[in-house]
Amino acid sequence: MIVRQFISWIRTAPAGERAEATRALARAWLISDLTEDDRIAAEGALLMLLDDPSPLVRQAMAEVFAYSAEAPATIVQALSADQPAIALPVLEHSPLLIDADLVDIVATGSDEMQCAIARRANLPASVAAAIAEVGSAAAALELIENPYAGLAPFSWDRIVERHGHLAAIRESMLQLEDLPSATRLALVAKLSDTLAQFVVARNWLGADRADRIAGEAKERSTVNIAARAFGDDMQNLITHLRATGQLTAGLILRALLSGNLDLFGAALAELSGLPYGRVSALLNDRGGNGLQALLRRAGLPESTYAAFRVALEASHEVGYVDSGDGAARLHRRMVERVLTHCETDHSAAEPLLVLLRRFATESAREDARMFCEELAAEDAVAVLPYDDDLIAA
């Protein structure tokens, strides 16, 4: 009887009063002990109110039903397809929307709707994949910052491919501790390409020069990222490098000259098709008889064999590098030793010498920078105020 009176009254009531009455009826549906007849009548009234000309009425319904698993499923479904101001709380919170509903709304809804879905707790990988594939940059950013979203590796890569040129996307992704190394490298590549295009457009550098500098930056970043990759993450990184044509002799030589034997061994295992354990055994053979056969099987240029041999000998002398920075930075003594050998070896190819000279310059500058930083740190300690009372205490 009460519901029937409500239906009669609401036809002429002002919009604000209709909205408050709708809110009360929706709450009664969820928490009141209605009779079966009243519950049927209440649902009919709420369904009728979906056609109310005032969005305030539907918004009041959405705010009540958005968080409840007991809400009428048909009404929640209708509210999720309404205008954004009404649909957003339902899209972000309703447990009644299934994955297929959410994927469909991602494909057809507005940016605001995509963002609301991207903020959902425990967002399934299938919905996250839809946002990565067709979602706006704003929705991708919400997805990245949602700690409860389940993203497959290919979804990360798709976000990089579609939105990696945007600084906000890059910065947000690079802050993630568990971001796959292959994805991190793809972000760095996006940044390098963006910067190269910028300096060329400003006529600061020629296109060839900018591309070479960007390529060198990507190589350094690759070794730096690989220094923190292990297990499956390392293997996925190596697979990505090979698929994108970045697993070159120059990169592999840089890894070895940086003391990153994990990256060096994983790269040779990938290119040669041999198990990593077998490759590691060959690299630890001080006789060096297996190294040349391994390099040949990996398809590396014959002109680089001597450089790899001398670098590996120097690496054995330097020993294991235990820091991420140490396993990413070229070791000056190793580089100079390989360069000296190749300069006296008439069979060394000119491109190899050019590469080694570039490595030598880079390692010398890095050593100089670290030396100056250490001096500055010592000077900073030396000028700290001296407090007799603190020392006495």
Side-chain angles (χ1 to χ4, degrees):
M1 181 64 70
I2 295 176
V3 175
R4 291 177 182 175
Q5 293 173 350
F6 171 85
I7 294 173
S8 177
W9 167 82
I10 207 167
R11 296 180 186 278
T12 58
E17 293 182 16
R18 295 201 309 273
E20 288 306 313
T22 300
R23 189 187 309 274
L25 182 60
R27 286 175 176 165
W29 167 274
L30 293 179
I31 64 177
S32 297
D33 187 15
L34 298 174
T35 66
E36 185 64 23
D37 288 344
D38 281 344
R39 181 167 290 275
I40 293 173
E43 183 174 3
L46 291 168
L47 285 167
M48 178 194 72
L49 289 169
L50 290 173
D51 296 322
D52 194 285
S54 173
L56 295 176
V57 173
R58 304 192 303 282
Q59 187 171 355
M61 228 189 307
E63 290 170 355
V64 174
F65 286 150
Y67 300 88
S68 176
E70 305 301 323
T74 53
I75 293 177
V76 169
Q77 185 75 26
L79 292 171
S80 70
D82 210 316
Q83 57 184 274
I86 297 165
L88 294 186
V90 174
L91 294 176
E92 183 171 350
H93 301 291
S94 178
L96 296 177
L97 297 176
I98 63 174
D99 296 358
D101 294 331
L102 297 171
V103 169
D104 182 64
I105 294 171
V106 167
T108 60
S110 65
D111 289 0
E112 292 174 290
M113 290 177 161
Q114 292 176 349
C115 289
I117 293 173
R119 290 192 293 268
R120 287 176 68 92
N122 301 317
L123 189 68
S126 60
V127 182
I131 296 173
E133 185 64 33
V134 300
S136 66
L141 187 59
E142 293 281 6
L143 187 63
I144 294 166
E145 295 177 348
N146 183 352
Y148 307 107
L151 270 80
F154 69 84
S155 294
W156 287 117
D157 295 340
R158 189 61 176 140
I159 292 174
V160 174
E161 184 179 346
R162 297 183 62 234
H163 306 298
H165 61 287
L166 300 174
I169 295 288
R170 290 196 305 269
E171 291 171 6
S172 184
M173 290 183 73
L174 290 172
Q175 290 176 3
L176 299 174
E177 293 291 336
D178 57 348
L179 186 69
S181 293
T183 304
R184 195 177 295 275
L185 181 60
L187 278 172
V188 171
K190 279 281 187 180
L191 176 59
S192 298
D193 293 341
T194 300
L195 292 176
Q197 293 170 11
F198 176 76
V199 298
V200 170
R202 304 282 292 205
N203 292 320
W204 293 345
L205 289 175
D208 292 341
R209 171 74 171 164
D211 287 344
R212 187 171 73 82
I213 292 176
E216 293 172 3
K218 283 187 277 190
E219 279 192 2
R220 288 194 295 271
S221 297
T222 298
V223 179
N224 189 22
I225 292 169
R228 295 164 175 79
F230 304 95
D232 290 342
D233 192 33
M234 171 67 84
Q235 183 55 52
N236 291 335
L237 175 61
I238 293 295
T239 302
H240 169 80
L241 290 171
R242 187 176 190 182
T244 55
Q246 299 179 68
L247 200 58
T248 62
L251 174 63
I252 297 172
L253 183 58
R254 173 187 281 275
L256 179 55
L257 291 172
S258 300
N260 192 333
L261 293 179
D262 288 338
L263 176 58
F264 177 59
L268 292 181
E270 174 71 21
L271 293 175
S272 67
L274 294 175
Y276 180 81
R278 175 62 176 155
V279 170
S280 181
L282 290 171
L283 295 180
N284 286 313
D285 178 12
R286 299 303 178 94
N289 295 326
L291 177 62
Q292 183 169 321
L294 177 60
L295 296 174
R296 181 179 295 109
R297 178 161 179 156
L300 298 180
E302 188 173 352
S303 59
T304 64
Y305 292 178
F308 278 113
R309 177 177 55 79
V310 176
L312 188 59
E313 292 172 356
S315 176
H316 288 317
E317 293 177 8
V318 170
Y320 177 69
V321 179
D322 193 29
S323 68
D325 180 68
R329 183 171 54 84
L330 288 166
H331 290 270
R332 186 176 182 183
R333 187 176 60 165
M334 292 173 61
V335 174
E336 291 178 347
R337 179 169 168 178
V338 175
L339 177 59
T340 299
H341 175 85
C342 290
E343 284 179 334
T344 58
D345 183 356
H346 298 297
S347 64
E350 189 66 25
L352 176 62
L353 292 174
V354 171
L355 179 67
L356 289 171
R357 290 187 183 112
R358 176 160 58 84
F359 284 171
T361 301
E362 180 184 327
S363 61
R365 293 177 65 176
E366 183 65 21
D367 278 359
R369 182 187 65 79
M370 294 185 66
F371 175 73
C372 292
E373 287 179 353
E374 290 172 359
L375 287 181
E378 291 174 0
D379 290 343
V381 172
V383 299
L384 286 175
Y386 188 83
D387 192 330
D388 289 334
D389 293 336
L390 182 60
I391 298 300

